[in-house]
Amino acid sequence: MNVSFKVYISTILLFGGMKSYAQIFHSSENKTISKPADTTKSCCTTAIPNRYKSNSNSTAPEGMVWIPGGVFSMGGDNNQARQDEFPKHSVELNGFFMDATEVTNSQFAQFVAATGYITTAEKDIDWEEIKKQMPADTPKPDAQTLKAASLVFVPTVGKVNLQDYGQWWNWSHGANWKHPRGIGSDIVGKDDLPVVHVSWDDANAYCKWAGKRLPTEAEWEYAARGGLENNIFTWGNQKVDEGKIHCNYFQGSFPYKNDGVDNFTGAAPIKSFEPNGYGLYDMAGNVWEWCSDLYLNSYYDEFENVKLAKNPQGPTKSFDPDEPSVPKRTMRGGSFLCNESYCSGYRVSARMKSSADSSMEHLGFRCVADK
């Protein structure tokens, strides 16, 4: 990789711009649960045929569960919550179906076999498009840098500055959903692992083929809460590192020593941990999950004086003050790289964002469908 370009993407883009440069959450150190100062950073084509029609009744399609409609309080519940998780606000949702698990390698392979779809991470980068997200004087990188690639996690050799994300992410040529660790890796025997290295565009294409859609952020958070009210996690308020293991996360010293107490140091097969109150698996940890919404840092402010928001669909425009020129989409749920010392993304209200063409080793999705 061209050195000047590598420095640029690791220090200026902070992994949030082009095809795979993803922002990562940090946990906040605010002392109250009022809206805090924002001092931390968060970690489809029309030709795709539908696989089947959406059901018209509340009998759940195969692999999905029914999430009954209701009202809940959306937003941060503890001192780790970031500014974009406030203010908490009341939301009313219609009922919907949701995949009980994250979409797996096996399911995604069926989609690719049926459609011939090629994911974002498998395509070379279009410089004419990506330069629109960069300062006007950014030099064009060399041809090799623009080859198809995605972000792969590489543990550091010891303690590092956690503000420097570039130390544990490798822009790996040949990394994609079929080769999650890059060239030489594969998904043989890993049918039940969540598919990763999928962009928002890829996830959207799969959903259309399956006769489904991506969840809104409101639907995702409501479902993740599992019927519990104002709890921090999908299982309740017990800390992630207390009591039994609730999800797949990074135990040990991030980003260099994962103790693997949960028996995994990467993504885990679906249903490796207990489901939440709605029967949904891995709504915390394992892999981040795309939502349909655009990301706007101040979006929740729009509901400060609204008594009840009904079926919110997200903002009509995107803005991230960290990267003002880059439109973003939202992600939820945390991943196997989340750790209390660095990232508490497994909280039900935690938000992450990146451009629609981003892909990385700990990012997947699940689908929803209307009644």
Side-chain angles (χ1 to χ4, degrees), residues 1-307:
M1 178 180 287
N2 177 279
V3 174
S4 61
F5 189 66
K6 183 176 182 180
V7 171
Y8 177 80
I9 62 173
S10 63
T11 60
I12 304 299
L13 282 184
L14 296 178
F15 300 105
M18 51 190 260
K19 169 188 261 193
S20 296
Y21 305 140
Q23 291 240 14
I24 310 299
F25 267 110
H26 290 237
S27 59
S28 170
E29 294 192 16
N30 301 296
K31 301 305 181 183
T32 65
I33 309 180
S34 58
K35 188 170 182 177
D38 200 8
T39 58
T40 57
K41 301 209 170 14
S42 61
C43 345
C44 178
T45 68
T46 59
I48 303 296
N50 281 353
R51 183 167 128 201
Y52 57 79
K53 301 295 183 182
S54 296
N55 284 31
S56 58
N57 56 55
S58 59
T59 301
E62 183 179 358
M64 304 188 85
V65 297
W66 175 249
I67 309 299
V71 176
F72 78 109
S73 185
M74 184 174 183
D77 292 299
N78 73 343
N79 293 336
Q80 292 176 306
R82 297 178 64 253
Q83 185 181 24
D84 64 359
E85 298 172 46
F86 293 102
K88 282 183 72 72
H89 52 284
S90 294
V91 173
E92 181 179 10
L93 294 173
N94 297 335
F96 56 94
F97 297 107
M98 188 174 225
D99 287 347
T101 70
E102 294 150 336
V103 172
T104 65
N105 286 323
S106 176
Q107 292 171 318
F108 199 79
Q110 293 176 41
F111 159 62
V112 171
T115 64
Y117 187 84
I118 300 174
T119 62
T120 305
E122 296 173 274
K123 302 174 185 177
D124 290 346
I125 297 167
D126 184 344
W127 174 247
E128 294 304 312
E129 285 298 315
I130 203 63
K131 72 179 184 181
K132 297 175 184 177
Q133 302 178 12
M134 300 182 177
D137 59 349
T138 302
K140 182 178 180 178
D142 58 69
Q144 181 62 25
T145 299
L146 297 176
K147 291 293 184 180
S150 191
L151 282 174
V152 172
F153 173 74
V154 179
T156 61
V157 296
K159 292 183 178 180
V160 295
N161 178 2
L162 295 183
Q163 300 296 320
D164 185 2
Y165 318 101
Q167 296 181 85
W168 57 84
W169 284 113
N170 180 48
W171 179 238
S172 180
H173 295 290
N176 55 55
W177 75 275
K178 292 180 288 189
H179 307 286
R181 294 291 299 164
I183 296 173
S185 65
D186 58 49
I187 55 173
V188 176
K190 301 174 182 176
D191 287 353
D192 290 338
L193 264 67
V195 65
V196 292
H197 293 294
V198 285
S199 68
W200 186 91
D201 298 318
D202 301 332
N204 222 24
Y206 175 94
C207 288
K208 184 172 184 179
W209 170 74
K212 304 177 185 181
R213 60 179 174 81
L214 287 173
T216 64
E217 273 201 277
E219 288 172 333
W220 195 99
E221 183 173 323
Y222 176 69
R225 289 181 180 275
L228 301 177
E229 296 183 8
N230 299 318
N231 278 227
I232 301 169
F233 307 106
T234 188
W235 58 82
N237 286 320
Q238 186 179 43
K239 292 183 179 180
V240 69
D241 54 0
E242 292 181 352
K244 69 178 181 179
I245 298 174
H246 300 282
C247 66
N248 180 15
Y249 71 105
F250 195 109
Q251 298 101 39
S253 303
F254 184 85
Y256 61 96
K257 184 183 179 183
N258 189 339
D259 296 331
V261 177
D262 60 5
N263 295 319
F264 303 102
T265 55
I270 58 171
K271 299 186 178 181
S272 293
F273 301 88
E274 292 183 9
N276 74 357
Y278 286 143
L280 300 169
Y281 295 85
D282 296 310
M283 295 299 281
N286 216 25
V287 297
W288 285 98
E289 300 178 14
W290 284 113
C291 291
S292 63
D293 302 34
L294 288 166
Y295 175 79
L296 176 65
N297 66 311
S298 59
Y299 178 51
Y300 288 11
D301 290 342
E302 297 180 12
F303 303 103
E304 191 163 13
N305 298 313
V306 175
K307 185 176 181 180

